[in-house]
Amino acid sequence: MDAPDPSPLDFDLRLRLAADRVLRAVTLRRQAKVAVLASAALSIVAAVQPGLLPPDLIVLKDLLNVGAISSLLQDVAAGDKLTDEQIAARMAATLPLNRLDELAIGQRDLLRALTSQDTWRQQMLRLQKEDIETGARLLAAFAPLPGDLAAIQASLAQTATREQLDDLTRLIKEHVLPLQTQRVPPVPLQLPPAATHFTGRAPELAALLAALQPGRIVTLYGPGGIGKTALSAEALRALLAEQNPPPTPPEGRGAGLPLPPGEGWGEGVRLPLPLGEGWGEGVRLPLPLGEGWGEGLPPRFPGGVLFHTFYGRPAAAEAAADFARAYGLDPNPDPFAALGAALRGRVALLILDGAEEADDLHQLLARRDRCGVLITSRKRADVVDVGIEVERLPLDKALELLWVMAHPAGPFLGPDPLAAPEPLPAPDPLPNPLPEGEGAGPWEGEAAREICELVGNLPLALRLAGAYLFQHDEKPAEYRAWLRASTLAALDFGQRRDKSVPVLMAKSVAQLSDAGRAALGVAGCLALTPFDVAPMAAALAVDERAARRALGELVNYELLRRPAERYETTHALVYAYARDRLPVEPPALRRLGAYYNSLARTESAKGLPGYQRLDPERGHILALLPRLAAAGEWATANRLVWAVHSWLGIQGYPRDRIGALEVGLAAAQALNDQYDQAAHLGHLGNAYADLGQVARAIGQYDEALEIYREIGDRHNEGVWLGNLGLAYADLGQVERAIELYEAALAVAREIGDRRGEGQRLGNLGIAYRNLGQVERAIELYEAALAVAREIGDRRGEGADLGNMGNAYADLGQVERAIEVYEAALAVAREIGDRRGEGNHLGNLGNAYLDLGQVERAIEQYEAALAVAREIGDRRGEGNRLGNLGIAYRNLGQVERAIELYEAALAVAREVGDRRGEGNHLYNRALALEKLARPDQAIESMAAALAAYESIDAPTMAAKAREELARLRGAAG
């Protein structure tokens, strides 16, 4: 008798499990490009009904060859015996790998859109299995949720029917989805650069591995070039290979103290992953995580690994901002607060390289929470908890390193023995021995030993010396003779460690070709991060093939390395030598500036894909600008600033934007270009405003305005009058803001700038509403609306309608407000303004709540919440969760309200929204009071007060202080 066909539900589950199998096969085969695209394609095929795809994703469905992937999934689901290799090969043949960059850029938005359409089905995938455990797992998952499951509990113990699944769907939508406040955040894996050959650090490595624990700060200290960064890289390699990490306390900062037997993490770490980014409920490391497809995460630090070097980038605020971005948080305006939010509750490892250059190391360390910290520094004073001195290599290991660098293809032959009480221990065997019969000849023991002594057994110096010996096929005795004649011979052993690198660098550089020397000088103009061959070719005025030859020469001398497609200097000391001692001809600087100018303009025009292409070049551009200024190449510098400042602002790099604009301002002054001076001053004001430094922004705006008036530029005079008004409004000086808006309005009308006129009318409306003059505000909104409609400014029309609705709501004319909000919502949907759509839906929810129509308000809030999640508006998501909490509290469902307040609170903390955090804590406290939990209510209200006081919100702080006193009094 034939087996019955599987039900549609069974087959759907099999198809999803097949998708997990395919993604696992691709990832375990370390096919990074395939895995990136497969994740997106499988999400379409296995997670979403094709009929639900929005039009803008249909093209991606075709481009990703979804039909062929569906066929592969059906084969796997049907039980075909395919190996991982076969599955990975079929997937690779199906995907357009030559379009990786184009598709990978849109993957996150794609997955977000897909997830938002069918979230409940993905949630069920995470809960269901094909066997008898299905019912039990579902019951366990939903047991803590409110809602009556008694009606379906008995049958769930066996097999769920479609009717039962409908009930589950309802429960998921009502109780699970509102709690899904975020996708699993990214987990960064940023590793320090590894040395070409690592040897001789077994004691230090063992001590470091024992010391590295959550909550503990470990400092490697020693002179430059001694191998601190290389040791940290080797420690990370060892941590990544760990299977049974030493257990550590789950709470507090007494990190590193062992737990009793049987406590801890066990065999490894399981991380839950959303569908499309992993498989099933969780997976054993290694995983493709962080900023690439690495080897997984060290189990001791499941929260990720973050690396920052202060060489060339000494600002601790930059490190904080980079770390916050690595977890998907906006670091502005306060990167340290954002870092604190990013690390809260995580057990990550922060690696801070070159801490002696840091301007404020304490600020970073104060935000570490339970994270471990590994510091490298040339100063013993930077030791905080545990200090490990990295000393010179033992002689046998120094000889081994020198040999390996001088004979990269051969085995290490022990040195000729010298008379000594004890012979040197035999070195560890090295890989890649020469074939039998191809001996390398005797290693000159005396000469090699003296080379090691003359350079202080410094690993970096030994690498440089060994590379030189190899390139010139020079005998150690010849190199020793040169060293004896150098200044190093007159120094003691400790001084040689400090002085040897510049001396050896000079010898290597003297042997470079003209192209190689010029290439090293150009590398010193860039940042201490990997760079591409293209800017080098542009600076040298050669094709890329010739540029690669010059860069290859530097690699041979151990001055650069090429771990992947891009090149990087081997050490901060090499970089400092190139930057400070190798001149770069002005034409080369101009060509390098022109290259980045063209690249920035071309890529910025592409929007997000272009911005992502530019991001690896950001450090190089910022390093080049002061070099151009120092060389007096003002015109090139000014053009480059114009090319990059908007991109830096849009992408949320206000500090970098300020640095660039300051160079631009100096250039404009040197060129006596008043227009550019005023423009750069105004843009500096915008950047300071983005950082919340409003008073400083006003100073920049005032200077810009003065110049524009001097040169008679009426249009920009009106623009910056308006910006001054916005700044004063931010300071709460509304009357002064109105004066400036009216002056800007007069200018706009005088020169016929209708768009500017509409904007200023809207600004005035907001100002008068803030003063409580709501009828006057409505008049101004109506005038602004008339201008927007006249010139076809649909976005402005929607904004003016939304503002007008707020004003009618203030007057208690809620039905009229709803009419206006509906009109604004229609405009937003017509023009595709998703953020505006979410705002108007939220306002509609507020209006219905004011009318007492709480269920209708909840519908609007849920729709607004869905929009916020779809577009990644985390702040808006938190606001809508808070609105929902208020609505459920009004329905008397106080427990549900508290759940939503806590979800909103988690989002506010993640994005660094201290005002939102205070609001949600305040509302949570009132809800806890209703449940007769006075101690928790007092704690929540006290936290709300602290949040308000931290941002100088006196009105809300006063309310919280009053409520806190009342709660304490009631509690006795």
Side-chain angles (χ1 to χ4, degrees), residues 838-885:
N839 291 338
H840 302 319
L841 285 165
N843 287 334
L844 279 166
N846 294 338
Y848 283 113
L849 195 65
D850 287 343
L851 290 178
Q853 300 180 29
V854 184
E855 291 83 358
R856 187 73 184 274
I858 289 174
E859 292 177 7
Q860 303 297 324
Y861 290 145
E862 287 178 340
L865 178 62
V867 172
R869 285 173 171 162
E870 182 176 335
I871 66 175
D873 178 9
R874 297 288 284 153
R875 191 179 295 267
E877 180 179 350
N879 291 338
R880 299 314 160 215
L881 286 165
N883 293 148
L884 280 166

Side-chain angles (χ1 to χ4, degrees), residues 144-386:
L145 298 175
D148 184 11
L149 294 176
I152 59 175
Q153 181 169 357
S155 55
L156 273 178
Q158 300 300 322
T159 303
T161 66
R162 286 196 174 279
E163 290 75 15
Q164 293 156 3
L165 291 177
D166 288 342
D167 289 335
L168 283 174
T169 299
R170 175 182 55 78
L171 288 170
I172 291 170
K173 287 181 176 179
E174 291 179 1
H175 302 296
V176 177
L177 294 189
L179 299 178
Q180 300 297 304
T181 62
Q182 62 182 30
R183 291 169 53 185
V184 174
V187 184
L189 179 60
Q190 304 171 355
L191 303 181
T196 307
H197 177 68
F198 183 86
T199 185
R201 294 298 188 195
E204 295 96 329
L205 182 59
L208 179 56
L209 289 173
L212 281 175
Q213 297 290 343
R216 180 178 287 174
I217 302 172
V218 182
T219 304
L220 297 176
Y221 65 93
I226 201 70
K228 302 180 294 295
T229 305
L231 178 58
S232 67
E234 190 69 10
L236 259 293
R237 191 179 69 82
L239 286 177
L240 289 169
E242 280 188 343
Q243 294 300 316
N244 294 289
T248 54
E251 300 294 340
R253 294 194 179 178
L257 301 178
L259 293 176
E263 299 186 29
W265 282 308
E267 290 185 345
V269 177
R270 295 181 72 91
L271 297 179
L273 296 176
L275 190 66
E277 296 185 86
W279 44 83
E281 304 168 291
V283 293
R284 291 284 182 189
L285 300 173
L287 285 176
L289 294 172
E291 298 187 347
W293 299 82
E295 295 299 318
L297 291 170
R300 203 180 299 185
F301 299 103
V305 178
L306 298 158
F307 174 79
H308 178 85
T309 181
F310 291 105
Y311 295 122
R313 300 182 65 203
E318 286 190 40
D322 287 348
F323 289 169
R325 288 189 187 95
Y327 287 108
L329 271 64
D330 182 357
N332 300 313
D334 185 346
F336 294 108
L339 177 63
L343 298 182
R344 187 178 294 118
R346 282 192 169 93
V347 182
L349 177 64
L350 314 183
I351 305 175
L352 306 175
D353 186 49
E356 74 277 3
E357 298 286 328
D359 63 354
D360 195 349
L361 191 62
H362 172 74
Q363 285 272 42
L364 284 174
L365 299 181
R367 268 74 174 185
R368 72 186 189 277
D369 199 48
R370 296 183 59 226
C371 295
V373 181
L374 174 55
I375 295 171
T376 72
S377 177
R378 299 174 192 172
K379 293 163 51 180
R380 192 183 189 287
D382 285 329
V383 174
V384 179
D385 290 344
V386 178

